[in-house]
């Protein structure tokens, strides 16, 4: 089965099939003693592996082969450790009336796996929407941000993001012109990398009765704009391989409606660099959020 694009988890399925096939080989095949270990929920956070107790694995095993790989005929000699960061940012809302609600959307990006495609500098839909929002708010400071939501899984580069803007009556044309200019800029910036990218703004389908306070909107958008995303360092040992990277994966309002949750994933070949990277993401984000209260970078 070869769908395009390939789904997350297909590599795990292939590894399971390969292991089961080896276990079913007839005695005529001269194989060393095999011990196969299967863990669950790798794609959504290595939940099974994190609960693994060392005593479950035979002490006689000399080699460990990790079959979680994507390339046929290639052997992986190392892999990136990963760590997730969930940042909760409290926000304030206020009731609104007399505004025209517009929905801004960035869609059609390639996205991809944060462990495979981060070095290709593909577009991040969250950051593109934030850039467009900030452009609008600088040109039309009376406008308000009602909501923003983008991304999905922690290990996927966001392919789409949407935000709802509240604009004063009569300013709709100017706001749409700002977004159109951003669309042309993004197309020129990403060129052939994102040929299917679309940037659109149209009337919102749902009625908006509240919006983020200007202070909360300014802090949230600035934090997302400056959020660490992409390759931090390439390996000096293996040419062309990212050593440490971050992925701004998801932003959405929290269940209680009083905060926004921002999810990021970090990866590194080096344990100390991974730990430092996770602390850097959380620390930098917190500093930016508090330093830029109500201001746009």
């Amino acid at each position: 089965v070869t769908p395009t694009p390939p789904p997350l988890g297909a590599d795990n399925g292939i590894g399971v099939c390969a292991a089961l096939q080896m276990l079913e080989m007839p005695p005529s095949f001269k194989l060393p003693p095999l011990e196969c270990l299967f863990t669950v929920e790798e794609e959504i956070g290595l939940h099974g592996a994190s609960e693994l107790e060392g005593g479950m694995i035979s002490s006689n095993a000399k080699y460990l082969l990790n079959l979680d790989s994507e390339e046929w005929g290639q052997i992986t000699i190392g892999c990136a450790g990963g760590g997730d960061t969930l940042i909760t940012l409290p926000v304030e809302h206020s009731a609104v009336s007399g505004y025209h609600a517009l929905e801004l959307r960035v869609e059609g990006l390639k996205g991809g796996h944060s462990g495979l495609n981060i070095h290709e500098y593909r577009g991040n839909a969250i950051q593109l929407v934030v850039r467009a929002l900030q452009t609008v708010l600088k040109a039309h400071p009376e406008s308000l941000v009602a909501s923003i939501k983008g991304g999905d899984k922690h290990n996927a580069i966001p392919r789409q993001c949407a935000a709802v803007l509240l604009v004063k009556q009569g300013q709709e044309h100017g706001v749409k012109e700002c977004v159109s200019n951003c669309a042309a800029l993004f197309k020129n910036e990403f060129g052939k990398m994102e040929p299917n990218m679309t940037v659109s703004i149209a009337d919102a389908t749902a009625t908006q009765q509240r919006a983020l306070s200007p202070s909360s909107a300014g802090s949230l958008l600035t934090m997302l704009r400056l959020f660490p995303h992409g390759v931090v360092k390439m390996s000096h040992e293996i040419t062309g391989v990212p050593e440490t990277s971050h992925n701004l994966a998801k932003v959405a309002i929290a269940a209680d409606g009083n905060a926004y949750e921002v999810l990021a994933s970090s990866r590194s070949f080096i344990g100390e660099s991974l730990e430092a990277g996770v602390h850097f993401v959380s620390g930098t984000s917190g500093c930016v959020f508090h330093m830029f209260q109500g201001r746009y970078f």
Side-chain angles (χ1 to χ4, degrees):
V1 179
T2 57
T4 302
L8 290 175
D11 52 332
N12 303 321
I14 293 173
V16 169
C17 291
L20 292 176
Q21 181 63 42
M22 294 295 289
L23 292 174
E24 293 179 351
M25 297 291 267
S28 58
F29 283 82
K30 301 300 182 181
L31 297 175
L34 294 177
E35 184 176 6
C36 295
L37 173 66
F38 305 94
T39 59
V40 300
E41 298 183 340
E42 184 268 344
E43 292 292 348
I44 63 174
L46 293 167
H47 293 167
S50 65
E51 297 296 326
L52 177 66
E53 297 180 1
M56 296 175 62
I57 302 176
S58 172
S59 60
N60 296 323
K62 295 182 179 180
Y63 302 99
L64 171 65
L65 298 180
N66 182 1
L67 300 184
D68 178 21
S69 184
E70 295 82 12
E71 302 295 333
W72 180 258
Q74 295 187 10
I75 296 176
T76 302
I77 61 174
C79 66
D84 292 343
T85 303
L86 180 62
I87 301 170
T88 302
L89 304 174
V91 294
E92 297 178 347
H93 290 89
S94 58
V96 295
S97 62
Y99 284 84
H100 186 177
L102 298 173
E103 186 176 48
L104 167 65
R105 302 184 67 88
V106 172
E107 300 173 291
L109 302 184
K110 289 184 177 179
H113 197 292
S114 63
L116 297 174
N117 308 112
I118 198 71
H119 65 293
E120 298 175 10
Y121 300 100
R122 299 180 177 186
N124 183 310
I126 295 174
Q127 293 189 322
L128 293 181
V129 163
V130 167
R131 287 172 59 182
L133 286 174
Q134 290 185 321
T135 299
V136 170
L137 292 171
K138 285 182 179 180
H140 302 277
E142 304 89 353
S143 299
L144 301 173
V145 178
S147 64
I148 180 172
K149 181 179 181 180
D152 185 14
K153 298 178 176 62
H154 74 110
N155 56 357
I157 302 170
R159 299 178 62 249
Q160 58 189 29
C161 181
V164 175
L165 267 168
L166 303 180
V167 304
K168 289 288 189 179
Q169 298 291 337
Q171 294 186 352
E172 294 91 344
H173 177 74
V175 169
K176 291 180 179 180
E177 187 175 15
C178 283
V179 173
S180 178
N181 292 336
C182 287
L185 173 63
F186 298 160
K187 287 283 188 180
N188 184 55
E189 182 177 333
F190 287 93
K192 295 181 179 179
M193 175 55 69
E194 298 290 359
N196 298 318
M197 175 173 58
T198 61
V199 182
S200 63
I201 185 166
D203 291 345
T205 56
T207 302
Q208 303 296 320
Q209 298 180 336
R210 68 174 191 168
L212 288 169
S213 69
S215 176
S216 292
S219 300
L220 175 62
L221 295 182
T222 300
M223 190 275 288
L224 292 172
R225 176 72 180 274
L226 300 179
F227 202 95
H229 175 81
V231 176
V232 176
K233 180 178 178 291
M234 300 295 288
S235 172
H236 295 309
E237 301 295 330
I238 307 175
T239 303
V241 174
E243 183 176 279
T244 304
S245 65
H246 303 300
N247 176 47
L248 170 57
K250 183 178 180 180
V251 60
I253 195 165
D256 63 5
N258 297 318
Y260 267 83
E261 294 180 339
V262 180
L263 177 63
S265 61
S266 302
R267 297 174 181 269
S268 183
F269 285 170
I270 302 173
E272 293 80 1
S273 296
L274 174 61
E275 184 176 356
V278 170
H279 286 301
F280 176 79
V281 167
S282 58
T284 301
S285 302
C287 288
V288 170
F289 182 76
H290 291 291
M291 287 176 61
F292 288 87
Q293 287 285 337
R295 292 181 289 149
Y296 301 105
F297 174 77

